[in-house]
Amino acid sequence: MNKTEIAAVLTEIGTLLELKGENPFKIRAYQTGSRLIEALSEDEIVERVKAGTLDEVKGVGEALAQKITELYTNGRLEFLEKLRSSIPAGLVDLLQIPGVGPKKIRALNEKLGIDSIAKLQEAALAGKIAALDGFGEKSQEKIIEGIRNREKYGRRHLWIDAWEVAEPLLAGLRQLPQVQRAEHAGSLRRRMETVGDLDFLVATNDPKPVADWFVQWADVKEVTAHGETKASVRLASGIQADLRLVPPEQFVFALHHFTGSKDHNVQMRHRALGQGLSMSEWGLVPAEGEGTAKQKAEERGRKTDIQTEEQLFKKLGLDFIPPELREGLGEIEAAEKGGLPRLVEESDIRGVFHNHTTASDGHNTLEEMTAAAEVLGLAYLGIADHSKSSVQARGLDETRLAEQVATIKRLNASGKFKTFVFTGTECDILPDGRLDFSDEVLATLDYAVVSVHSVFKQSVEDMTRRIIRAIENPHATMLGHLTGRLLLQREGYAVEIEKIIDAAIANRVVIELNASPWRLDMDWRHWRKAAERGLLCSINPDAHDTAGLGHLRTGVGAARKAWLTPENILTARSLPEVKQWFLERKAGR
Ligand code: DGT
Ligand code: CA
Ligand code: CA
Ligand code: ZN
């Protein structure tokens, strides 16, 4: 365990002892011990553990020294494990509610028999808390809100939601005169499909006003830490945000460290060590020699020639690794050999498929959607309204589909928009794998997205067979949202993804990367290998209104995370190339 982790354990022990109503001196000894450990350098702790001289530190007694040694060497502490199990789990849970500390929990337990969050909520809603000594209307309100928010705060957030909250905050930080550089880091920068919390990083020589500004941001609901090197807040949306403030010469090292991922960082540190260098959030310094890593880094930082991540990677013999690829999945090996892909960018995308209009469950008309695509500079727009079995989505039957096709052809011929419109459908894959439209009807369209929208609860074998049968239909052009997942809401249905990928490649069917922020399906984790084997991707916004076309950005982020290049993506091709590809496909089989 490192010192921060050890300090956290000591604090936890103090809290648990307080919860048990132990002797205040004993409690204070752990609280003080935690602060003392934080104040020591990592190297000093190592030395003192080795020499057995921890108890010589003022304020650290023999008992504490022995526990710290045990934590340092074993990474666990029997005393803590016993302590934890001696307290009802429900009481410990109550510590998660803001405004109720160990003392209050004991009072609630003694006077009202409260030993779980559920009972606390019940008592608060019944107005029983306000009547207790040491509580009141205000603390009762706070408890009720705390419980209500717990679920909201506890969960992760869609990338797009996190992005929308983070962008204005980042812009605000950059405008402060004390801020030399500011970036976001963590999973948001790595473009994970969901984000736990926001991580901001600022380079400044004057951290106090920056931290003060951050905790007073309009959206801040609660300040959980407010120092000169770090501040943490909860925002109104329930998202938590960390701000770290570092001197300018440390910025690039901290940016790399807090961008993560953990796995990537571990591998990078390992590589640095192989070159005799110690890499940390503080800097890149010789692994051997006098002083702590932090001291050495601070000393050398002032004269470091490393200002950018490009330079940092170069120093370790690597090409620049885009943040999206930093998952510890072979990116370092590729960067070493000059083998990183030229990742797709938003500007590579020439058109979009799989979009809905008011004909089915969309909110904008065909012309509105086309106008919006034109504004985005897209050369083509593929319409794909639902088919007749999707009754709730007002799926089109054969007659209405034929009418829509005629309308689209007239629109293209009119020359009203620069964007060309492809005729298509999002055709239901029926439970047995047949498609919702006959071959004759499908043959009248430029393309067909085939998707599962019903009967999700099939066995893996049945679902896999069902989708493969659909893929084998010569009129299927693309497979829509492969697993049907809704991020943070609904797991995808069980299906053998490898077999689906095999079938798609064999039948020259495109698999979509559904760009809607709550789908991002097929998942980036499957794409890299599949694309290497020749699977073609289409980044499909699945837009249900004009704003939905903007989901393209989320989709491109996921595609980058998936190591995809423009060559892997159908919609990075020009209009004539795509027309040609559709024609060849139709003729080819
Ligand atoms: P999240 O917030 O759960 O979506 O994921 P991240 O990746 O943003 O994780 P977070 O916010 O806990 O930390 C940001 C980055 O800081 C993380 O990706 C890597 C780095 N980091 C944080 N704690 C550790 C640690 O204990 N060890 C290492 N090697 N890196 C860490
Ligand atoms: Ca984070
Ligand atoms: Ca964080
Ligand atoms: Zn769909």
Side-chain angles (χ1 to χ4, degrees), residues 534-588:
L535 181 67
L536 201 53
C537 173
S538 181
I539 301 177
N540 291 345
D542 196 354
H544 284 73
D545 51 30
T546 52
L549 292 172
H551 292 155
L552 196 51
R553 160 187 282 175
T554 339
V556 169
R560 290 172 61 82
K561 201 155 186 59
W563 291 56
L564 297 183
T565 69
E567 290 69 45
N568 302 135
I569 295 166
L570 178 68
T571 45
R573 298 188 187 177
S574 69
L575 177 59
E577 284 170 327
V578 169
K579 279 185 175 169
Q580 183 63 24
W581 191 82
F582 282 158
L583 285 178
E584 280 170 19
R585 262 201 103 257
K586 277 183 187 256

Side-chain angles (χ1 to χ4, degrees), residues 185-188 195-199:
S187 50
L188 184 74
V195 168
D197 69 356
L198 305 178
D199 303 279

Side-chain angles (χ1 to χ4, degrees), residues 354 356 386 426 451-453 481 514 519 542:
H354 190 170
H356 299 269
H386 286 285
E426 182 180 16
S451 307
V452 169
H453 286 124
H481 43 71
N514 190 297
R519 290 193 186 270
D542 196 354

Side-chain angles (χ1 to χ4, degrees), residues 22 30 33 40-41 139 147 154 168 196 215 233 235 261 298 348-349 352 358 388 390 409 424 454 476 531 566 572 580:
E22 290 270 355
Y30 283 97
L40 293 181
S41 75
S139 51
I147 295 174
V215 300
V233 296
L235 302 168
S261 65
E298 280 175 346
D348 292 320
I349 302 300
V352 287
T358 43
K388 60 189 176 190
S390 279
K409 285 186 172 160
S454 62
Q580 183 63 24

Side-chain angles (χ1 to χ4, degrees), residues 5 156 185-188 190 194-197 199 242 257-262 265-266 269:
E5 291 162 334
R156 298 180 65 81
S187 50
L188 184 74
R190 300 199 316 280
T194 64
V195 168
D197 69 356
D199 303 279
D242 293 336
H257 175 86
F258 289 111
T259 296
S261 65
K262 256 187 205 181
N265 287 355
V266 168
R269 276 205 299 273

